Amino acid sequence: VSSSLSFKEGIISLGDFKGLVLFGLYAHIFFFLLGLATLAYVTLGIKSQRTYTLIISIIFITIIFSAQKIIAFYFIASLLLFYVVIYYFLEYWYYGRRNQLAMLSFIFLFVGSIDFTFSAVNHIPYVIGHILYFIGYLFILINFIIMLGPLRWKEKNVKEKK
């Protein structure tokens, strides 16, 4: 198999882009877990930089030394999302309808992440995991749009008063 591209063949082998695909995969793992760890850290209410670096270090050392990296990735993501779901559930329980969409979105992301953990062994739940992730991210988008509403209204009123 030649790694050079020819216009006569018209076919590009994905094997030629293996390094780029691996870079993208590891970048996704790194930034996704970094974001979830940061979100879990913030929701736990801890104000210690040493604790934050400890959480990040344990996560990435576990990923680096695991034999099944994708299973470890989704398991750690599920664990971090579990803490975020508990936080938003307690917020909903004590304060009512506040952050209801955020809680629902993280529940869908949590269940989808658990589903992805099992889809690494069995490929049937893979599509279900993507659907759950899509619903979770859709709820985050809806929550974001709802939060932007008062800002746009306030900005519009400020312009009208001038």
Side-chain angles (χ1 to χ4, degrees), residues 82-154:
F82 176 73
Y83 282 101
V84 174
V85 166
I86 293 298
Y87 170 79
Y88 279 106
F89 177 76
L90 291 175
E91 284 281 316
Y92 176 72
W93 184 265
Y94 290 119
Y95 301 112
R97 295 186 57 88
R98 188 172 141 200
N99 293 330
Q100 184 178 12
L101 277 177
M103 180 187 71
L104 284 174
S105 66
F106 287 115
I107 288 172
F108 278 106
L109 291 175
F110 171 67
V111 174
S113 187
I114 289 175
D115 189 60
F116 277 134
T117 303
F118 294 121
S119 71
V121 178
N122 185 359
H123 300 293
I124 294 172
Y126 185 74
V127 174
I128 296 169
H130 275 291
I131 291 170
L132 292 171
Y133 260 43
F134 175 74
I135 293 170
Y137 286 129
L138 188 65
F139 281 148
I140 289 174
L141 177 65
I142 292 168
N143 195 21
F144 180 69
I145 291 170
I146 290 171
M147 288 173 50
L148 284 180
L151 292 176
R152 282 193 261 159
W153 183 79
K154 183 179 178 182

Side-chain angles (χ1 to χ4, degrees), residues 6 24-25 27 46 56 58 73 93 109 111 118-119 155 157 161:
S6 170
L25 177 67
I46 301 171
I56 297 293
I58 289 172
F73 165 66
W93 184 265
L109 291 175
V111 174
F118 294 121
S119 71
E155 184 179 294
N157 285 341
K161 289 181 181 179

